[in-house]
Amino acid sequence: MSNLLPNDAKKEIWSMYRARFIVAGSLMALIAAALCVLALLPSYLALRADGAGNSAPTTASKAATEADRAAIASLRAVLTSLSPLVAATTTPTAAIGKALSLRPATISIDHVTYTGGDSGTIMLVGSAATREAINGYRQALAADPYFKTVSIPVGDLAGAPGARFSLSLSGDF
């Protein structure tokens, strides 16, 4: 099958269609822009009308301002009380991590309690398979220079296998 139009006529027709598509696309973009402007016009007018007529603050805005000031004062009081915790040079997290890293596989730690102060105290509560495992864990902690004192109640060392224990660590943390 052959083409019925010569190349010059074909180019002329395609340029006419291209011009129509460009004009139609431009008109669609202009209509979309006009609709956007019409959609935003009420909010623009509301902002202009609200700001132009009310130059004096209302009682509701004064109450909101007082409430904001009270909230800011409360927040400052909380920040003042928490500032020693934020400014601490050492955290108990490193000490707890060190104590747990020295733990053998036969010991299970169930509960960790930290008490701060000049000489912080960490209490490790758990269970062990044997008394020897508890004593070995105590010796490993006592050999570490990070902990000043390591103490365990004698009753925990004399208990039956699989017994529970509590280990107290103190140091500068």
Side-chain angles (χ1 to χ4, degrees), residues 53-81:
N54 292 336
S55 61
T58 62
T59 57
S61 66
K62 286 181 184 177
T65 304
E66 292 299 321
D68 289 343
R69 287 184 183 154
I72 290 171
S74 170
L75 185 60
R76 282 186 181 160
V78 169
L79 287 175
T80 303
S81 66

Side-chain angles (χ1 to χ4, degrees), residues 70-139:
I72 290 171
S74 170
L75 185 60
R76 282 186 181 160
V78 169
L79 287 175
T80 303
S81 66
L82 291 178
S83 65
L85 296 176
V86 174
T89 57
T90 61
T91 62
T93 308
I96 293 170
K98 183 75 166 169
L100 293 178
S101 70
L102 295 173
R103 177 183 58 89
T106 57
I107 291 184
S108 170
I109 302 293
D110 301 326
H111 186 72
V112 177
T113 305
Y114 170 72
T115 307
D118 291 336
S119 181
T121 304
I122 297 175
M123 177 77 70
L124 301 173
V125 179
S127 60
T130 62
R131 293 181 297 245
E132 291 79 18
I134 297 172
N135 194 31
Y137 186 38
R138 182 194 60 79
Q139 289 173 350

Side-chain angles (χ1 to χ4, degrees), residues 123-126 128 130-132 134-135 151-168:
M123 177 77 70
L124 301 173
V125 179
T130 62
R131 293 181 297 245
E132 291 79 18
I134 297 172
N135 194 31
S151 62
I152 188 166
V154 176
D156 291 348
L157 288 174
R164 300 197 46 83
F165 69 92
S166 62
L167 189 68
S168 179

